[in-house]
């Protein structure tokens, strides 16, 4: 919101400088109250790479892979789920059995939007057993994860309901995505207006391939790449070889992006995209060298931005500006190893429920923060744990912003920050805290 406003002002200033706009006409600077379609964000590729680094570490610590039925797969699921839960998504773990082992799909719903019109985005999170699977398919998994986190950061309120999926056992024949689609009641299937798939989007010798299964979805991706002047081709390297196939087979429109696997880049393709002709798009496809070194950052960056562009455009959302905030700056002493103390904030004038992304800024001065248990208490008494005590958290002070899914709480009323010091020797006080709706 503030971005588009400042861009508008910048544009108006440029026009004024160019003599095209009278600087004495204040109406020209008025910002329309009806929010225009929000500008899709530039997804920070560094954040996407940070997720890939985590997936690489998970593989390294779990026998070198993140394959179905192996400990590295479940650890990958836990990592992604933790990020989404903290950002206010409603997550569901779906289990299935394949080859005698438990598999997992992770489904994440962004609260809001039309429940009868769902835009779904997915990626497979499993690797083959041969390696860590960072391009195949850490790349798609991290790209959609960071886009989901950007949805949360923007407070996006799209017209459509947004749902994200991380599939298990794709490498065993799209087992997880087939299981999801097969177990979706017909009425629920009918609500999915489109499914976007991202399987391999950071290939080291990349191509820019767009699925051509549905013309409207294909167009959105082509439009994006046109804005950054990157030529694309239709994806033909094994149509139906990824998780969009089960969706397409039940009549759901599908789209997606792909940067190439074991096919060879032609001279013509190297001419327009750079890279090396006569070499595979991904020489480490399905092998042990598919590590965090097996990523082309530019391809990962462009494709991640394209994902955000597609979701913002197809979700056709509007953002709401950050809601009102309420603060209590009165100090409250926290007795050493004593009873819990509270600091109240009275919220009024906010209609309806609190958001799924209620922000809680906490500032506690303390000589050993590990002693402290901190909760947010809603007006009806429901407590949300912000922080547990920990015997090895030996830093001082708690200066942090927490995001709480408080969508089941009525906003108006007296909220409390509740703090208890559960161990002897160190003391402090609540300095201030703030709620932003
Ligand atoms: N799904 C394949 C895998 O994970 C990769 C792949 C090959 C692919 N061809 C494709 C993905 C075409 C999407 C489109 O091994
Ligand atoms: Zn694969
Ligand atoms: Ca103490």
């Amino acid at each position: 919101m503030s971005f588009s406003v400042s861009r508008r002002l910048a544009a108006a200033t440029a026009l004024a400088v160019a003599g095209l706009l009278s600087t004495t006409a204040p109406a020209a600077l008025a910002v329309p109250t009806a929010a225009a379609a929000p500008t899709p964000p530039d997804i920070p590729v560094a954040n996407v790479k940070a997720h890939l680094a985590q997936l690489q570490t998970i593989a390294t610590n779990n026998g070198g892979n993140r394959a179905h039925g192996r400990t590295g797969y479940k650890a990958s699921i836990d990592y992604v789920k933790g990020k989404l839960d903290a950002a206010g998504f409603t997550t569901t773990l779906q289990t299935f059995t394949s080859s005698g082992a438990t598999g997992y799909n992770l489904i994440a719903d962004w609260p809001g939007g039309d429940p009868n019109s769902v835009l779904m985005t997915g990626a497979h999170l499993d690797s083959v057993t041969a390696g860590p699977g960072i391009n195949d398919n850490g790349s798609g998994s991290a790209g959609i994860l960071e886009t989901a986190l950007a949805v949360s950061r923007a407070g996006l309120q799209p017209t459509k309901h947004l749902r994200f999926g991380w599939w298990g056992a794709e490498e065993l024949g799209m087992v997880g995505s087939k299981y999801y689609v097969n177990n979706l009641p017909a009425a629920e299937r009918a609500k999915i207006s489109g499914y976007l798939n991202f399987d391999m989007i950071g290939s080291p010798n990349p191509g820019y391939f767009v699925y051509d299964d549905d013309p409207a979805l294909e167009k959105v991706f082509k439009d994006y790449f046109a804005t950054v002047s990157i030529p694309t081709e239709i994806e033909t390297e094994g149509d139906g070889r990824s998780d969009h196939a089960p969706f397409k087979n039940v009549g759901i429109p599908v789209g997606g992006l792909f940067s190439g696997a074991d096919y060879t880049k032609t001279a013509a393709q190297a001419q327009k995209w750079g890279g090396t002709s006569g070499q595979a798009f991904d020489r480490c496809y399905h092998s042990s060298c598919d590590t965090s070194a097996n990523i082309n950052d530019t391809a990962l960056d462009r494709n991640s931005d394209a994902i955000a562009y597609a979701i913002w455009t197809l979700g056709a959302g509007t953002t709401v500006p950050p809601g009102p905030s309420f603060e209590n700056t009165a100090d409250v002493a926290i007795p050493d190893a004593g009873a819990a103390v509270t600091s109240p904030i009275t919220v009024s004038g906010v209609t309806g429920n609190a958001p799924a992304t209620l922000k809680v800024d906490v500032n506690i001065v303390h000589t050993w923060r590990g002693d402290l248990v901190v909760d947010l208490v809603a007006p009806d008494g429901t407590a949300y744990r912000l922080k547990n005590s920990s015997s090895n958290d030996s830093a001082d002070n708690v200066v942090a912003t927490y995001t709480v899914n408080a969508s089941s709480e009525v906003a108006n009323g007296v909220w409390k920050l509740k703090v208890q010091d559960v161990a002897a020797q160190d003391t402090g006080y609540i300095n201030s805290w703030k709620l932003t709706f």
Side-chain angles (χ1 to χ4, degrees):
M1 189 67 181
S2 59
F3 179 63
S4 62
V5 169
S6 62
R7 270 171 53 113
R8 239 181 233 111
L9 292 173
T13 306
L15 289 170
V17 168
L20 298 171
L21 181 72
S22 160
T23 49
T24 55
L29 288 174
V31 175
T33 45
T39 308
D42 181 345
I43 299 297
V45 71
N47 293 10
V48 184
K49 292 202 74 179
H51 301 312
L52 292 180
Q54 293 296 319
L55 294 176
Q56 174 68 62
T57 299
I58 286 168
T60 303
N61 292 342
N62 288 278
N65 68 65
R66 303 180 301 101
H68 168 73
R70 309 294 183 93
T71 51
Y73 183 70
K74 183 58 169 39
S76 301
I77 283 278
D78 292 344
Y79 171 75
V80 174
K81 184 175 185 300
K83 294 285 176 189
L84 294 163
D85 287 340
F89 282 82
T90 304
T91 59
T92 310
L93 204 53
Q94 181 181 48
T95 61
F96 56 90
T97 303
S98 182
S99 307
T102 301
Y104 303 90
N105 293 327
L106 176 66
I107 308 299
D109 284 277
W110 180 240
D114 182 353
N116 294 313
S117 184
V118 179
L119 176 64
M120 187 158 190
T121 302
H124 78 85
L125 185 57
D126 63 314
S127 73
V128 292
T129 53
I134 298 303
N135 186 37
D136 179 15
N137 183 33
S139 62
S141 293
I144 72 167
L145 172 59
E146 189 56 30
T147 304
L149 299 181
V151 164
S152 169
R153 287 194 291 267
L156 196 67
Q157 300 219 313
T159 308
K160 291 193 177 158
H161 177 77
L162 301 183
R163 181 178 299 154
F164 294 82
W166 285 262
W167 310 119
E170 187 272 350
E171 300 291 3
L172 276 57
M174 301 166 266
V175 177
S177 53
K178 279 180 186 164
Y179 185 87
Y180 176 79
V181 171
N182 287 342
N183 286 280
L184 208 54
E188 290 303 312
R189 273 184 203 170
K191 294 175 183 171
I192 302 182
S193 67
Y195 171 75
L196 306 178
N197 193 60
F198 302 95
D199 184 358
M200 305 179 72
I201 60 166
S203 304
N205 186 27
Y208 293 88
F209 299 100
V210 177
Y211 298 6
D212 68 341
D213 306 79
D214 177 82
L217 299 180
E218 179 185 8
K219 182 177 186 301
V220 177
F221 291 113
K222 284 188 170 175
D223 285 351
Y224 173 76
F225 283 104
T227 67
V228 290
S229 304
I230 309 291
T232 60
E233 288 185 13
I234 291 168
E235 187 284 302
T236 55
E237 189 173 341
D239 232 5
R241 268 177 67 184
S242 189
D243 299 296
H244 55 296
F247 289 85
K248 184 176 178 173
N249 289 341
V250 296
I252 296 169
V254 301
L257 297 174
F258 177 56
S259 56
D262 52 357
Y263 282 25
T264 301
K265 185 180 268 188
T266 65
Q269 288 171 330
Q271 188 96 48
K272 61 179 167 187
W273 292 326
T276 311
S277 67
Q279 208 176 78
F281 294 103
D282 183 356
R283 290 194 289 176
C284 289
Y285 176 61
H286 283 190
S287 63
S288 60
C289 61
D290 186 8
T291 64
S292 42
N294 190 44
I295 289 290
N296 180 289
D297 290 2
T298 304
L300 186 70
D301 191 9
R302 289 172 177 161
N303 284 321
S304 299
D305 291 343
I307 296 169
Y309 179 87
I311 291 175
W312 259 249
T313 304
L314 293 167
T318 51
T319 46
V320 278
S325 56
F326 302 83
E327 188 169 21
N328 186 340
T329 58
D331 293 357
V332 177
I334 305 165
D336 189 23
V341 294
T342 61
S343 169
I345 285 179
T346 301
V347 172
S348 62
V350 182
T351 41
N353 279 15
T357 52
L358 178 63
K359 290 224 175 336
V360 190
D361 288 302
V362 175
N363 186 312
I364 298 171
V365 177
H366 200 271
T367 51
W368 190 296
R369 50 173 284 152
D371 289 1
L372 301 178
V373 179
V374 183
D375 292 294
L376 173 71
V377 182
D380 71 354
T382 309
Y384 295 84
R385 179 60 43 92
L386 302 180
K387 178 199 167 303
N388 275 311
S389 60
S390 162
S391 55
N392 50 29
D393 186 5
S394 65
D396 55 15
N397 303 338
V398 180
V399 181
T401 301
Y402 302 93
T403 303
V404 172
N405 183 347
S407 57
S408 61
E409 304 294 342
V410 173
N412 286 341
V414 181
W415 295 72
K416 287 176 185 144
L417 188 74
K418 181 175 157 195
V419 182
Q420 183 167 20
D421 180 331
V422 297
Q425 283 183 19
D426 289 271
T427 58
Y429 58 95
I430 301 173
N431 191 28
S432 66
W433 71 290
K434 184 163 106 174
L435 283 174
T436 305
F437 283 79

